[in-house]
Amino acid sequence: MGTVFTVRAYPGSGMDAGDAERICGEALACAAHWEKVMSAMDAESGLARLNAAEYGISVPVSPELERVLLLALDYARLTNGAFDPTLGPCIRLWKKSRRLGILPSGEERECALRACGWEKLSVRKGMAVKAVSGMRLDLGGMGKGFAVDRMAEMLKTSGVCSFFIDSTSDVLAGAPPPGEPGWRLRVDTGNGQREVLLLSHAAVSTSGSARQMVKIGGKAYSHVLDPRSGLGVTEGRQVSVRASSAALADALATAGCVMREEEFRSLAAGLPGVSVPAFFQSPPCSAGETQKQDGLRKEGGMGSMKGMTKQLRF
């Protein structure tokens, strides 16, 4: 998934430090397991096998892949396609453009866009059908958040309730540290300002189209694609979303980089447990500079008791 996963946690009731460390390790293994399910780059993953299959035929998918695909389609429907898990052809074309520093031709873009569209994917009863030739799925807009949610489920099931999972641009907090009101998280709100959030039983995701970009022909383009054009978003925008699940926060933050601000805020306001701590325009990075700055700064909040920290680098 191209990131580092970190788990910070306190032992649950009746546990010692060794128990907590083992359970944190199992949570990290859970992330690695879900990467094998969702990765578009791993030829052995369930998603890669679906991408390689012919269009127009029913392809068997595992219960795990079906679960994440159905959720992705729900989020695509919720955002009216601003989040779209079928943008694989455009993503592949855009990666080539970023590497070469040349925009794709109109014909190339039209061909890629014809192969996209969440409405052209059907998933039901353990089967998936791609309605158009060339369709490739990519879960990069919500995959990390989904994996974080599964890690949290594992921790809670194993009796570890006070935890903080960090995958760089997506974080999820469980119960607060002992004696603390919550886990402290600083969120960049623009103009050099930051807001400290106290998180418990909630997730925050940031998508910063201003922070990871490329300049082509003197114009700055984000790594976040606009499903309408097949090109990177040209606004230097950064969006942070708070939600009950990391997958939802992840997908909404992606959509927020594409949608009009008023439309996005209206959507978020109608969703239970969702808020938008940050939505601002920011000047893009200097020419030739591509960097990952997620807008989230973790302040710890580990309290006086000793906690466990485990990390996995993908």
Side-chain angles (χ1 to χ4, degrees):
M1 286 180 268
T3 190
V4 176
F5 281 76
T6 304
V7 182
R8 298 173 175 87
Y10 290 90
S13 177
M15 291 182 188
D16 59 22
D19 294 329
E21 185 170 10
R22 173 182 54 79
I23 293 168
C24 287
E26 290 172 355
L28 292 170
C30 175
H33 168 77
W34 278 100
E35 183 181 40
K36 294 291 291 183
V37 175
M38 299 185 291
S39 173
M41 306 300 294
D42 183 349
E44 299 301 316
S45 76
L47 188 70
R49 289 193 291 272
L50 175 58
N51 282 341
E54 293 292 328
Y55 79 99
I57 64 171
S58 294
V59 180
V61 293
S62 69
E64 290 176 323
L65 183 57
E66 180 179 22
R67 179 183 182 184
V68 67
L69 289 178
L70 286 172
L71 189 61
L73 289 177
D74 283 345
Y75 293 158
R77 191 174 299 108
L78 176 68
T79 61
N80 197 27
F83 165 83
D84 190 338
T86 71
L87 285 181
C90 289
I91 291 172
R92 174 179 281 185
L93 185 61
W94 187 239
K95 284 182 177 179
K96 177 182 176 182
S97 292
R98 292 183 65 177
R99 185 175 67 253
L100 299 178
I102 302 172
L103 289 179
S105 68
E107 183 179 350
E108 288 176 318
R109 249 190 327 131
E110 289 176 10
C111 181
L113 286 168
R114 282 196 299 270
C116 301
W118 64 273
E119 309 99 323
K120 303 170 188 175
L121 174 68
S122 175
V123 181
R124 63 189 301 268
K125 296 183 177 180
M127 309 295 285
V129 181
K130 300 180 295 182
V132 290
S133 176
M135 175 178 282
R136 289 181 55 84
L137 280 65
D138 191 296
L139 296 169
M142 63 162 279
K144 284 194 300 178
F146 185 88
V148 166
D149 287 333
R150 305 290 75 75
M151 294 167 71
E153 285 180 350
M154 174 171 284
L155 289 170
K156 288 185 284 189
T157 299
S158 300
V160 174
C161 297
S162 179
F163 59 81
F164 186 89
I165 304 173
D166 172 9
S167 69
T168 309
S169 58
D170 304 278
V171 303
L172 188 149
E180 298 283 343
W183 296 87
R184 295 179 181 85
L185 181 73
R186 280 189 298 160
V187 177
D188 187 355
T189 56
N191 298 319
Q193 302 298 310
R194 289 175 182 162
E195 178 183 354
V196 176
L197 303 180
L198 285 176
L199 286 186
S200 62
H201 308 292
V204 173
S205 179
T206 290
S207 187
S209 56
R211 304 301 188 181
Q212 193 176 169
M213 49 74 67
V214 64
K215 280 197 173 182
I216 302 177
K219 191 171 186 177
Y221 294 88
S222 168
H223 71 294
V224 179
L225 294 193
D226 187 332
R228 296 163 295 192
S229 68
L231 298 176
V233 174
T234 55
E235 292 184 28
R237 181 183 289 182
Q238 186 157 299
V239 182
S240 293
V241 177
R242 180 174 182 163
S244 58
S245 79
L248 177 59
D250 199 359
L252 287 176
T254 300
C257 288
V258 176
M259 299 173 67
R260 289 186 300 107
E261 181 174 358
E262 315 84 70
E263 182 185 8
F264 179 72
R265 287 191 179 278
S266 176
L267 169 65
L271 299 174
V274 172
S275 61
V276 184
F279 191 117
F280 62 91
Q281 303 298 125
S282 177
C285 305
S286 60
E289 182 184 7
T290 300
Q291 58 184 352
K292 178 66 174 178
Q293 297 180 5
D294 55 43
L296 303 180
R297 298 292 182 271
K298 295 79 186 177
E299 294 203 328
M302 294 295 290
S304 58
M305 268 183 69
K306 183 178 180 181
M308 300 272 82
T309 298
K310 295 283 285 184
Q311 192 174 78
L312 173 66
R313 182 180 298 274
F314 280 90

